[in-house]
């Protein structure tokens, strides 16, 4: 008998490490497919919108931001739909299906000829995003063991953040040299390799046998779940209002050559990698305190970037700190959402990525609007600060509601069992 086909056995430590690495590879591919558009946005605008680009580079870049927004909206739609509908599937089988969909959607993004079709392909390619991260986070948490839930989430997300250190800058450079379509074909190859790694490495894990669509969708009846989703959707927009337009920020404001954009992306990615790991560890200590800390740090980082983006050192320090503090928020927000979701865990783990990608779309759209209005490439930084402060206010509100319920003697939800209890 094999554990993958007939039921669970206890995997060896070596296989657990291999499985966690395979899950992180999926995060690496997702990070590449999502974020490579940021560095190649001017190239994609010039190729797909040649008429508009000839009239106004700024207008073409702003319009091309819809490529980023379409991907984000695909995540928003796909995450709850797939997670709720497929919660009972064996988790390995579901992850393989999602990786196959990623591969096909990314190939379509590379090959379709027009702007409108590429936007549609990016939407379709994004549909598996949230469900992959949600299910992979549940699997990683199970493999990591009790008391390490947020660290399991952070480990899966580490593939995404490492992609921003290594994958996105490298693929951005390749896209600048060989064309953005070649860049997306490389990303598709990463997904194919991940499919093979997951097929070989991941132990068999059952789905949630008690899951039903009705039970999973019950999350939408809970006030605190809506608070958690709003925190991610609004607060995380601060990152993407900057990240979506980091290439023209570096070239038009700081005055760096286009060849320096991959270096800026490396700095961004290093910040995200470090912040993600710190955020996972601190969220296992206290979700509330960690969220307050990281929102304050993100706000200060955006102020620094907006004030010093004209100077290379200011740009580098700003993007590093923005990336670090925003990435630290991701496992923190996911842990909060899983806490308040109660028995709707599959959809909760996926919905976090819907919320964060609403922030992605919101940041890209609002950043594009202020650029198109002639306010310049620093203006999205101040839009990001406004979104971050709004997220901070929502965080204060959700924990104030916790305190009010505690005073009334209403027990607060927590997650135990395979995920371990988590601090407040």
């Amino acid at each position: 008998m094999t554990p993958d086909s007939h039921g669970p056995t206890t995997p060896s430590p070596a296989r657990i490490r291999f499985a966690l690495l395979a899950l992180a590879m999926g995060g690496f591919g997702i990070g590449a497919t999502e974020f490579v558009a940021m560095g190649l946005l001017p190239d994609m605008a010039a190729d797909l919108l040649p008429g508009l680009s000839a009239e106004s580079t700024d207008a073409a870049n702003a319009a091309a931001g819809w490529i980023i927004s379409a991907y984000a909206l695909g995540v928003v739609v796909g995450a709850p739909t797939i997670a709720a509908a497929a919660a009972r599937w064996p988790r390995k089988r579901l992850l393989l299906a999602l990786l196959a969909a990623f591969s096909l959607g990314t190939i379509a993004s590379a090959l379709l000829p027009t702007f409108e079709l590429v936007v549609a392909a990016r939407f379709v390619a994004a549909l598996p995003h949230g469900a992959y991260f949600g299910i992979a986070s549940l699997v990683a948490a199970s493999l990591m063991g009790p008391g390490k839930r947020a660290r399991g989430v952070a480990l899966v997300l580490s593939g995404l953040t490492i992609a921003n250190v290594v994958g996105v800058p490298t693929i951005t450079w390749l896209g600048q040299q060989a064309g953005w379509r070649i860049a997306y074909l490389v990303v598709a190859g990463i997904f194919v390799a991940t499919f093979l790694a997951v097929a070989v490495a991941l132990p068999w894990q059952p789905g949630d046998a008690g899951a039903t669509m009705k039970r999973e969708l019950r999350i939408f009846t809970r006030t605190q779940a809506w608070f958690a989703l709003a925190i991610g959707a609004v607060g995380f927009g601060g990152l993407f209002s900057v990240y979506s337009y980091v290439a023209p920020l570096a070239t038009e404001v700081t005055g760096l050559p286009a060849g320096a954009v991959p270096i800026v992306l490396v700095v961004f990615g290093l910040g995200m990698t470090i912040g993600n790991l710190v955020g996972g560890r601190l969220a296992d200590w206290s979700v509330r305190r960690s969220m307050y800390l990281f929102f304050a740090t993100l706000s200060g980082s955006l102020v620094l970037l907006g004030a010093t983006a004209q100077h290379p050192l200011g740009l580098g320090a700003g993007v590093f700190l923005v990336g670090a503090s925003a990435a630290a928020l991701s496992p923190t927000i996911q842990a909060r959402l899983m806490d308040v979701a109660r028995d709707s865990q599959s959809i909760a783990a996926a919905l976090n990525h819907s919320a964060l990608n609403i922030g992605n779309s919101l940041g890209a759209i609002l950043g594009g609007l202020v650029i198109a209005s002639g306010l310049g490439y620093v203006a999205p930084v101040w839009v990001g600060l406004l979104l971050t402060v709004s997220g901070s206010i929502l965080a204060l509100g959700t924990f104030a509601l916790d305190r009010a319920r505690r005073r009334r003697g209403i027990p607060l939800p927590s997650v135990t069992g395979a995920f371990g209890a988590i601090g407040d």
Side-chain angles (χ1 to χ4, degrees):
M1 286 202 323
T2 65
D4 292 338
S5 59
H6 295 88
T9 61
T10 301
S12 66
R15 188 171 187 189
I16 289 175
R17 288 192 293 271
F18 189 13
L20 292 170
L21 176 61
L23 295 173
M25 281 180 63
F28 185 94
I30 294 172
T33 198
E34 182 175 15
F35 295 131
V36 76
M38 279 68 166
L40 293 175
L41 195 67
D43 304 82
M44 299 176 79
D47 181 42
L48 294 170
L49 298 166
L52 183 59
S53 185
E55 294 176 9
S56 169
T57 300
D58 288 357
N61 286 339
W66 281 103
I67 294 172
I68 299 169
S69 296
Y71 185 93
L73 291 172
V75 179
V76 173
V77 172
T81 305
I82 297 172
R88 299 182 68 168
W89 282 31
R91 288 171 176 170
K92 179 174 179 177
R93 183 187 305 169
L94 177 55
L95 289 172
L96 290 173
L98 296 172
L99 288 165
F102 270 128
S103 302
L104 295 174
T106 307
I107 290 170
S109 301
L111 299 181
L112 289 171
T114 68
F115 175 74
E116 293 78 11
L117 288 175
V118 170
V119 169
R122 296 312 296 151
F123 175 84
V124 172
L127 293 174
H129 177 125
Y132 178 87
F133 271 126
I135 301 302
S137 294
L138 294 175
V139 172
S142 175
L143 293 173
M144 292 282 286
K148 298 180 180 179
R149 178 187 54 169
R151 274 169 279 186
V153 172
L155 192 146
V156 175
L157 290 172
S158 70
L160 185 150
T161 58
I162 291 171
N164 285 282
V165 179
V166 180
V168 173
T170 302
I171 297 170
T172 297
W173 177 85
L174 177 64
Q176 289 173 336
Q177 306 305 312
W180 67 268
R181 296 182 186 275
I182 297 298
Y184 273 107
L185 288 176
V186 170
V187 174
I190 295 171
F191 282 124
V192 172
T194 304
F195 179 96
L196 297 174
V198 169
V200 172
L202 200 67
W204 180 90
Q205 280 204 356
D208 185 347
T212 64
M213 181 75 77
K214 180 179 180 181
R215 193 191 79 179
E216 291 295 319
L217 294 178
R218 201 177 294 149
I219 190 174
F220 294 113
T221 67
R222 294 169 184 144
T223 301
Q224 287 288 42
W226 283 106
F227 260 111
L229 292 171
I231 290 168
V234 176
F236 222 65
L239 168 67
F240 289 107
S241 62
V242 174
Y243 201 6
S244 298
Y245 303 100
V246 69
L249 178 68
T251 55
E252 302 298 325
V253 176
T254 314
L256 298 176
V261 171
I263 299 173
V264 175
L265 294 176
V266 168
V267 174
F268 223 136
L270 284 170
M272 293 178 72
T273 300
I274 294 170
N276 174 63
L277 296 175
V278 172
R281 184 165 292 276
L282 290 184
D284 277 329
W285 162 65
S286 172
V287 171
R288 176 175 57 84
R289 294 183 184 94
S290 296
M291 197 175 294
Y292 290 161
L293 171 64
F294 298 137
F295 266 125
T297 306
L298 179 56
S299 298
S301 301
L302 288 164
V303 171
L304 174 67
L305 178 61
T308 64
Q310 294 83 0
H311 308 286
L313 287 178
L315 176 72
V319 298
F320 177 87
L321 291 171
V322 168
S325 48
L329 276 169
S330 184
T332 307
I333 294 171
Q334 176 136 351
R336 174 63 179 174
L337 185 55
M338 292 168 73
D339 275 344
V340 300
R342 301 178 188 175
D343 57 353
S344 303
Q345 287 296 300
S346 293
I347 195 171
L351 276 172
N352 182 53
H353 299 278
S354 287
L356 299 186
N357 277 272
I358 290 173
N360 184 338
S361 181
L362 187 63
I365 290 171
L366 294 178
L369 287 175
V370 294
I371 291 169
S373 298
L375 296 177
Y377 288 107
V378 177
V381 178
W382 304 120
V383 170
L385 179 62
L386 178 62
L387 292 171
T388 299
V389 171
S390 300
S392 304
I393 293 170
L394 288 168
L396 291 169
T398 192
F399 293 114
L401 183 57
D402 273 357
R403 288 193 297 273
R405 289 179 171 177
R406 188 181 291 114
R407 285 194 297 268
R408 296 199 304 268
I410 301 173
L412 300 182
S414 63
V415 178
T416 56
F419 309 104
I422 196 161
D424 70 346

